[in-house]
Coordinates of all heavy atoms in Angstrom, one line a residue:
M1 N 26.0 12.9 -15.3 CA 25.8 12.3 -16.7 C 26.5 11.0 -16.7 O 27.7 10.9 -16.4 CB 26.4 13.3 -17.7 CG 26.2 12.8 -19.1 SD 24.9 13.8 -19.9 CE 24.9 13.0 -21.4
T2 N 25.8 10.0 -17.1 CA 26.5 8.7 -17.2 C 27.3 8.6 -18.5 O 27.0 9.2 -19.5 CB 25.4 7.5 -17.2 OG1 24.6 7.7 -18.4 CG2 24.5 7.6 -16.0
P3 N 28.3 7.7 -18.5 CA 29.1 7.6 -19.7 C 28.4 6.9 -20.8 O 28.8 7.0 -21.9 CB 30.3 6.8 -19.2 CG 30.0 6.2 -17.9 CD 28.9 7.0 -17.3
W4 N 27.3 6.1 -20.4 CA 26.6 5.4 -21.4 C 25.1 5.8 -21.3 O 24.3 5.2 -20.6 CB 26.7 3.9 -21.2 CG 28.1 3.4 -21.2 CD1 28.9 3.3 -22.2 CD2 28.8 2.9 -20.0 NE1 30.1 2.9 -21.8 CE2 30.1 2.6 -20.5 CE3 28.5 2.8 -18.7 CZ2 31.0 2.1 -19.6 CZ3 29.4 2.3 -17.9 CH2 30.7 1.9 -18.3
P5 N 24.7 6.9 -22.0 CA 23.3 7.4 -21.8 C 22.3 6.4 -22.3 O 21.2 6.3 -21.7 CB 23.3 8.6 -22.7 CG 24.7 8.9 -23.1 CD 25.5 7.7 -22.8
A6 N 22.6 5.5 -23.2 CA 21.6 4.5 -23.7 C 21.4 3.5 -22.6 O 20.2 3.0 -22.4 CB 22.1 3.8 -24.9
L7 N 22.4 3.2 -21.8 CA 22.2 2.3 -20.7 C 21.2 2.8 -19.6 O 20.3 2.2 -19.1 CB 23.5 1.9 -20.0 CG 23.4 1.0 -18.8 CD1 22.9 -0.4 -19.2 CD2 24.8 0.9 -18.2
G8 N 21.4 4.1 -19.3 CA 20.5 4.8 -18.4 C 19.1 4.8 -18.9 O 18.1 4.6 -18.1
Q9 N 18.9 5.1 -20.1 CA 17.6 5.1 -20.7 C 16.9 3.7 -20.7 O 15.8 3.5 -20.4 CB 17.6 5.6 -22.1 CG 17.9 7.1 -22.2 CD 18.1 7.6 -23.6 OE1 18.2 6.8 -24.5 NE2 18.1 8.9 -23.7
A10 N 17.7 2.7 -21.0 CA 17.2 1.3 -21.0 C 16.8 0.9 -19.6 O 15.8 0.2 -19.4 CB 18.3 0.4 -21.6
L11 N 17.6 1.2 -18.6 CA 17.3 0.9 -17.3 C 16.0 1.6 -16.8 O 15.2 1.1 -16.1 CB 18.4 1.2 -16.3 CG 19.6 0.3 -16.5 CD1 20.8 0.8 -15.6 CD2 19.3 -1.1 -16.1
G12 N 15.8 2.9 -17.2 CA 14.6 3.6 -16.9 C 13.4 3.0 -17.5 O 12.4 2.9 -16.8
V13 N 13.5 2.6 -18.8 CA 12.4 1.9 -19.4 C 12.1 0.6 -18.8 O 10.9 0.3 -18.5 CB 12.6 1.8 -20.9 CG1 11.6 0.9 -21.6 CG2 12.7 3.1 -21.6
A14 N 13.1 -0.1 -18.4 CA 12.9 -1.4 -17.8 C 12.2 -1.2 -16.4 O 11.3 -2.0 -16.0 CB 14.2 -2.2 -17.6
F15 N 12.6 -0.2 -15.7 CA 12.0 0.0 -14.4 C 10.5 0.4 -14.5 O 9.7 -0.1 -13.8 CB 12.7 1.2 -13.6 CG 12.1 1.6 -12.4 CD1 12.2 0.8 -11.2 CD2 11.3 2.7 -12.3 CE1 11.6 1.1 -10.0 CE2 10.7 3.1 -11.1 CZ 10.9 2.3 -10.0
A16 N 10.2 1.2 -15.5 CA 8.8 1.6 -15.8 C 8.0 0.5 -16.1 O 6.8 0.3 -15.7 CB 8.8 2.7 -16.8
V17 N 8.5 -0.4 -17.0 CA 7.7 -1.6 -17.4 C 7.5 -2.5 -16.2 O 6.3 -3.0 -16.0 CB 8.4 -2.3 -18.6 CG1 7.8 -3.7 -18.8 CG2 8.4 -1.5 -19.8
L18 N 8.5 -2.8 -15.5 CA 8.4 -3.7 -14.3 C 7.4 -3.1 -13.3 O 6.6 -3.8 -12.7 CB 9.7 -4.0 -13.7 CG 10.6 -4.9 -14.5 CD1 12.0 -5.0 -13.9 CD2 10.0 -6.2 -14.7
A19 N 7.5 -1.8 -13.0 CA 6.6 -1.1 -12.1 C 5.1 -1.3 -12.6 O 4.2 -1.5 -11.8 CB 6.9 0.3 -11.9
F20 N 4.9 -1.1 -13.9 CA 3.5 -1.3 -14.4 C 3.1 -2.7 -14.2 O 1.9 -2.9 -13.9 CB 3.5 -0.8 -15.9 CG 2.2 -1.0 -16.5 CD1 1.2 -0.1 -16.2 CD2 1.9 -2.0 -17.3 CE1 -0.1 -0.2 -16.8 CE2 0.6 -2.2 -17.9 CZ -0.3 -1.3 -17.6
L21 N 3.9 -3.7 -14.5 CA 3.5 -5.1 -14.4 C 3.2 -5.5 -12.9 O 2.4 -6.3 -12.7 CB 4.6 -6.0 -14.9 CG 4.8 -5.9 -16.4 CD1 6.0 -6.8 -16.9 CD2 3.5 -6.4 -17.2
V22 N 3.9 -4.8 -12.0 CA 3.6 -5.2 -10.6 C 2.4 -4.4 -10.0 O 1.5 -4.9 -9.4 CB 4.9 -4.9 -9.7 CG1 4.6 -4.9 -8.2 CG2 6.0 -5.8 -10.1
K23 N 2.4 -3.1 -10.3 CA 1.3 -2.3 -9.7 C 0.0 -2.3 -10.5 O -1.0 -2.0 -9.9 CB 1.8 -0.8 -9.6 CG 3.0 -0.8 -8.6 CD 3.4 0.7 -8.3 CE 4.5 0.6 -7.3 NZ 4.8 1.9 -6.7
G24 N 0.0 -2.7 -11.7 CA -1.2 -2.8 -12.5 C -2.2 -3.7 -11.8 O -3.4 -3.4 -11.6
P25 N -1.8 -5.0 -11.6 CA -2.8 -5.9 -10.9 C -3.2 -5.5 -9.5 O -4.3 -5.8 -9.1 CB -2.0 -7.2 -10.9 CG -1.0 -7.1 -12.0 CD -0.6 -5.7 -12.0
I26 N -2.3 -4.8 -8.8 CA -2.7 -4.3 -7.5 C -3.8 -3.3 -7.6 O -4.7 -3.3 -6.8 CB -1.4 -3.7 -6.8 CG1 -0.4 -4.8 -6.5 CG2 -1.8 -3.0 -5.5 CD1 0.9 -4.4 -6.0
C27 N -3.7 -2.4 -8.6 CA -4.8 -1.5 -8.8 C -6.1 -2.1 -9.2 O -7.2 -1.7 -8.7 CB -4.4 -0.5 -9.9 SG -3.0 0.6 -9.4
V28 N -6.1 -3.1 -10.0 CA -7.3 -3.8 -10.4 C -7.9 -4.5 -9.2 O -9.1 -4.4 -8.9 CB -7.0 -4.8 -11.5 CG1 -8.2 -5.7 -11.8 CG2 -6.6 -4.1 -12.8
Y29 N -7.1 -5.1 -8.4 CA -7.6 -5.8 -7.2 C -8.2 -4.8 -6.2 O -9.2 -5.1 -5.6 CB -6.4 -6.6 -6.5 CG -6.8 -7.3 -5.2 CD1 -7.6 -8.4 -5.2 CD2 -6.4 -6.8 -4.0 CE1 -8.0 -9.0 -4.1 CE2 -6.8 -7.4 -2.8 CZ -7.6 -8.5 -2.9 OH -7.9 -9.2 -1.7
A30 N -7.5 -3.7 -6.0 CA -8.0 -2.6 -5.1 C -9.4 -2.1 -5.6 O -10.3 -1.9 -4.8 CB -7.0 -1.5 -5.0
G31 N -9.5 -1.9 -6.9 CA -10.8 -1.5 -7.4 C -11.9 -2.5 -7.2 O -13.0 -2.2 -6.8
T32 N -11.6 -3.8 -7.3 CA -12.5 -4.9 -7.1 C -12.9 -4.9 -5.6 O -14.1 -5.0 -5.3 CB -11.9 -6.2 -7.5 OG1 -11.6 -6.1 -8.9 CG2 -12.9 -7.3 -7.4
M33 N -12.0 -4.8 -4.8 CA -12.2 -4.9 -3.3 C -13.1 -3.7 -2.9 O -13.9 -3.8 -2.0 CB -10.9 -4.9 -2.5 CG -10.3 -6.3 -2.6 SD -11.3 -7.6 -2.0 CE -11.6 -7.1 -0.3
S34 N -12.8 -2.5 -3.5 CA -13.6 -1.3 -3.1 C -15.1 -1.5 -3.4 O -15.9 -1.2 -2.6 CB -13.1 -0.1 -3.9 OG -13.8 1.0 -3.7
G35 N -15.4 -2.1 -4.6 CA -16.8 -2.3 -4.9 C -17.4 -3.3 -4.0 O -18.6 -3.2 -3.5
W36 N -16.6 -4.4 -3.6 CA -17.1 -5.4 -2.7 C -17.4 -4.9 -1.3 O -18.4 -5.2 -0.7 CB -16.1 -6.6 -2.7 CG -16.7 -7.7 -1.9 CD1 -17.5 -8.7 -2.3 CD2 -16.4 -8.0 -0.5 NE1 -17.8 -9.6 -1.3 CE2 -17.1 -9.2 -0.2 CE3 -15.6 -7.4 0.5 CZ2 -17.0 -9.8 1.1 CZ3 -15.5 -8.0 1.7 CH2 -16.2 -9.2 2.0
L37 N -16.5 -4.0 -0.8 CA -16.6 -3.5 0.5 C -17.8 -2.5 0.5 O -18.5 -2.4 1.6 CB -15.4 -2.7 0.9 CG -14.2 -3.6 1.4 CD1 -13.0 -2.8 1.6 CD2 -14.6 -4.4 2.6
R38 N -18.1 -1.8 -0.5 CA -19.3 -0.9 -0.5 C -20.6 -1.7 -0.5 O -21.6 -1.2 0.0 CB -19.2 0.0 -1.8 CG -18.2 1.0 -1.7 CD -18.3 1.9 -2.9 NE -17.1 2.8 -2.9 CZ -16.6 3.3 -4.0 NH1 -17.1 3.1 -5.2 NH2 -15.5 4.1 -3.9
S39 N -20.6 -2.9 -1.0 CA -21.8 -3.7 -1.0 C -21.9 -4.5 0.3 O -23.0 -5.1 0.5 CB -21.8 -4.6 -2.2 OG -20.8 -5.6 -2.1
H40 N -20.9 -4.5 1.1 CA -21.0 -5.2 2.4 C -20.6 -4.2 3.6 O -19.4 -4.2 4.0 CB -20.0 -6.4 2.4 CG -20.4 -7.5 1.5 ND1 -20.0 -7.4 0.2 CD2 -21.1 -8.6 1.7 CE1 -20.5 -8.5 -0.4 NE2 -21.1 -9.2 0.5
P41 N -21.5 -3.4 4.0 CA -21.2 -2.3 5.0 C -20.8 -2.9 6.3 O -20.0 -2.3 7.0 CB -22.5 -1.5 5.1 CG -23.5 -2.1 4.3 CD -22.9 -3.3 3.5
S42 N -21.2 -4.1 6.7 CA -20.8 -4.6 8.0 C -19.3 -5.0 8.0 O -18.6 -4.8 9.0 CB -21.6 -5.9 8.4 OG -21.4 -6.9 7.4
V43 N -18.8 -5.5 6.9 CA -17.4 -5.8 6.8 C -16.6 -4.4 6.8 O -15.5 -4.3 7.4 CB -17.1 -6.5 5.5 CG1 -15.6 -6.8 5.3 CG2 -17.8 -7.9 5.5
L44 N -17.1 -3.4 6.1 CA -16.4 -2.1 6.1 C -16.4 -1.5 7.5 O -15.4 -0.9 7.9 CB -17.2 -1.2 5.2 CG -16.5 0.1 4.8 CD1 -15.1 -0.1 4.2 CD2 -17.4 0.9 3.9
T45 N -17.4 -1.8 8.3 CA -17.4 -1.3 9.7 C -16.2 -1.9 10.5 O -15.5 -1.2 11.2 CB -18.7 -1.6 10.4 OG1 -19.7 -1.0 9.7 CG2 -18.7 -1.1 11.8
W46 N -16.0 -3.2 10.3 CA -14.9 -3.9 11.0 C -13.5 -3.5 10.4 O -12.5 -3.4 11.2 CB -15.0 -5.4 10.9 CG -16.0 -5.8 11.9 CD1 -17.3 -6.2 11.7 CD2 -15.9 -5.9 13.3 NE1 -18.0 -6.5 12.8 CE2 -17.1 -6.3 13.9 CE3 -14.8 -5.6 14.2 CZ2 -17.2 -6.5 15.2 CZ3 -15.0 -5.8 15.5 CH2 -16.2 -6.3 16.1
V47 N -13.5 -3.1 9.2 CA -12.2 -2.6 8.6 C -11.9 -1.3 9.2 O -10.7 -1.0 9.6 CB -12.3 -2.5 7.1 CG1 -11.1 -1.7 6.5 CG2 -12.4 -3.8 6.4
Y48 N -12.9 -0.4 9.4 CA -12.7 0.9 10.1 C -12.2 0.7 11.5 O -11.3 1.4 12.0 CB -13.9 1.7 10.0 CG -14.3 2.3 8.7 CD1 -15.6 2.5 8.3 CD2 -13.3 2.6 7.7 CE1 -15.9 3.1 7.1 CE2 -13.6 3.1 6.5 CZ -14.9 3.3 6.2 OH -15.2 3.8 5.0
R49 N -12.9 -0.2 12.2 CA -12.5 -0.5 13.6 C -11.1 -1.0 13.8 O -10.4 -0.6 14.7 CB -13.5 -1.4 14.3 CG -14.9 -0.9 14.5 CD -15.8 -1.9 15.1 NE -17.1 -1.3 15.2 CZ -18.2 -2.0 15.5 NH1 -18.1 -3.3 15.6 NH2 -19.4 -1.4 15.6
S50 N -10.7 -1.9 12.9 CA -9.4 -2.5 13.0 C -8.3 -1.5 12.7 O -7.3 -1.4 13.3 CB -9.3 -3.8 12.2 OG -9.5 -3.5 10.8
S51 N -8.6 -0.7 11.7 CA -7.6 0.4 11.3 C -7.5 1.4 12.4 O -6.4 1.9 12.7 CB -7.9 1.0 10.0 OG -9.1 1.7 10.0
G52 N -8.6 1.7 13.1 CA -8.6 2.7 14.2 C -7.8 2.1 15.4 O -7.0 2.8 16.0
A53 N -8.0 0.8 15.6 CA -7.3 0.2 16.7 C -5.8 0.2 16.4 O -4.9 0.3 17.3 CB -7.8 -1.2 17.0
N54 N -5.5 -0.1 15.1 CA -4.1 -0.1 14.7 C -3.4 1.3 14.9 O -2.3 1.4 15.5 CB -4.0 -0.5 13.3 CG -2.6 -0.7 12.8 OD1 -1.7 -0.9 13.6 ND2 -2.4 -0.8 11.5
F55 N -4.1 2.4 14.5 CA -3.6 3.7 14.7 C -3.5 4.0 16.2 O -2.5 4.7 16.7 CB -4.4 4.8 14.0 CG -4.2 4.8 12.6 CD1 -5.2 4.7 11.7 CD2 -2.9 5.0 12.0 CE1 -5.0 4.7 10.3 CE2 -2.7 5.0 10.7 CZ -3.7 4.9 9.8
A56 N -4.4 3.6 17.0 CA -4.4 3.9 18.5 C -3.2 3.1 19.1 O -2.4 3.7 19.9 CB -5.7 3.4 19.1
G57 N -2.9 1.9 18.6 CA -1.8 1.2 19.1 C -0.5 1.8 18.7 O 0.5 1.8 19.5
L58 N -0.4 2.3 17.5 CA 0.8 3.0 17.1 C 1.1 4.3 17.8 O 2.2 4.7 17.9 CB 0.7 3.2 15.5 CG 0.8 2.0 14.7 CD1 0.5 2.4 13.2 CD2 2.2 1.4 14.8
T59 N 0.0 4.9 18.3 CA 0.3 6.2 19.0 C 0.6 5.9 20.5 O 1.3 6.7 21.1 CB -1.0 7.1 19.0 OG1 -2.1 6.4 19.5 CG2 -1.2 7.6 17.5
V60 N 0.1 4.8 21.1 CA 0.4 4.5 22.5 C 1.8 3.9 22.6 O 2.4 4.1 23.6 CB -0.7 3.6 23.0 CG1 -0.4 3.1 24.4 CG2 -2.0 4.4 23.0
T61 N 2.2 3.1 21.7 CA 3.4 2.3 21.8 C 4.6 3.2 22.1 O 5.4 2.9 23.0 CB 3.7 1.5 20.5 OG1 2.6 0.7 20.3 CG2 5.0 0.7 20.6
P62 N 4.8 4.4 21.5 CA 6.0 5.2 21.8 C 6.0 5.7 23.2 O 7.0 6.0 23.8 CB 6.0 6.3 20.8 CG 5.2 5.8 19.7 CD 4.2 4.9 20.3
A63 N 4.8 5.8 23.8 CA 4.7 6.4 25.2 C 5.4 5.4 26.2 O 5.8 5.8 27.3 CB 3.3 6.6 25.6
F64 N 5.4 4.1 25.9 CA 6.0 3.2 26.8 C 7.4 2.7 26.5 O 7.9 1.8 27.1 CB 5.1 1.9 26.9 CG 3.7 2.3 27.5 CD1 2.6 2.3 26.7 CD2 3.6 2.5 28.8 CE1 1.3 2.6 27.2 CE2 2.3 2.8 29.4 CZ 1.2 2.9 28.6
E65 N 8.0 3.4 25.5 CA 9.4 3.0 25.1 C 10.3 3.6 26.1 O 10.1 4.7 26.7 CB 9.7 3.6 23.7 CG 8.9 3.0 22.6 CD 9.7 2.1 21.8 OE1 10.9 2.2 21.8 OE2 9.1 1.3 21.1
R66 N 11.4 2.9 26.4 CA 12.4 3.3 27.3 C 13.5 4.1 26.4 O 13.8 3.7 25.3 CB 13.1 2.2 28.0 CG 12.2 1.5 28.9 CD 12.9 0.5 29.7 NE 12.9 1.0 31.1 CZ 13.3 0.4 32.1 NH1 13.9 -0.8 31.9 NH2 13.2 0.9 33.3
R67 N 14.0 5.1 27.0 CA 15.0 5.8 26.3 C 16.4 5.3 26.5 O 16.8 4.7 27.4 CB 15.0 7.3 26.8 CG 13.8 8.0 26.3 CD 13.9 9.4 26.6 NE 12.8 10.1 26.0 CZ 12.8 11.3 25.6 NH1 13.8 12.1 25.8 NH2 11.7 11.8 25.1

């Protein structure tokens, strides 16, 4: 329990507002990009390939690490 409960509540509200202001536009952009990618299947194919190569690289990299 904080000695100043109102301060904790104010900080919580400030965090929630700032998170909404940052993540709100990100969600709108992601929704826009989703529609655009669905209308361009060739681009989506390259997105799948590049993410697959990324995951493959992430799984191979630890195998060559020295202890």
Side-chain angles (χ1 to χ4, degrees):
M1 182 106 182
T2 63
W4 305 290
L7 177 64
Q9 291 174 348
L11 289 174
V13 168
F15 177 77
V17 168
L18 288 173
F20 179 77
L21 289 175
V22 169
K23 295 187 178 195
I26 292 171
C27 292
V28 171
Y29 178 72
T32 303
M33 285 304 296
S34 174
W36 185 82
L37 284 172
R38 287 184 190 153
S39 66
H40 295 85
S42 61
V43 175
L44 190 57
T45 300
W46 281 103
V47 170
Y48 288 151
R49 288 178 184 169
S50 63
S51 63
N54 189 15
F55 283 126
L58 288 173
T59 57
V60 171
T61 303
F64 296 107
E65 294 255 341
R66 294 190 114 172
R67 289 186 174 207

